[in-house]
């Protein structure tokens, strides 16, 4: 089972911060538990869409 390296987590945190989502609990959990950068990115964008697009 793969886990994210520090650099990938950092990039996801920057992405979440750019979207104004970094402080959300579910986003923190995504960053800590996802298996790849792409998975984390997809889930963070899903949170963004749920929060801002609906």
């Amino acid at each position: 089972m793969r886990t994210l390296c520090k650099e990938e987590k950092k990039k996801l945190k920057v992405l979440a911060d750019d979207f104004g989502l970094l402080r959300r609990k579910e986003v923190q959990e995504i960053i800590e538990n996802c298996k790849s950068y792409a998975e984390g990115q997809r889930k963070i964008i899903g949170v963004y869409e749920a929060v801002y697009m609906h």
Side-chain angles (χ1 to χ4, degrees):
M1 183 164 30
R2 184 178 188 279
T3 58
L4 292 178
C5 69
K6 279 185 172 182
E7 187 63 30
E8 290 171 319
K9 283 187 180 185
K10 183 178 176 182
K11 288 179 181 180
L12 287 175
K13 287 180 181 180
V14 169
L15 176 69
D17 192 40
D18 287 348
F19 285 141
L21 300 171
L22 187 56
R23 289 188 166 79
R24 295 183 68 95
K25 184 179 179 183
E26 66 264 44
V27 171
Q28 290 293 323
E29 290 173 359
I30 289 167
I31 292 169
E32 289 303 315
N33 297 317
C34 63
K35 305 292 184 258
S36 69
Y37 176 82
E39 175 190 356
Q41 180 185 37
R42 194 169 47 253
K43 288 181 176 183
I44 290 170
I45 291 170
V47 172
Y48 174 81
E49 289 175 346
V51 170
Y52 294 110
M53 303 302 217
H54 291 99

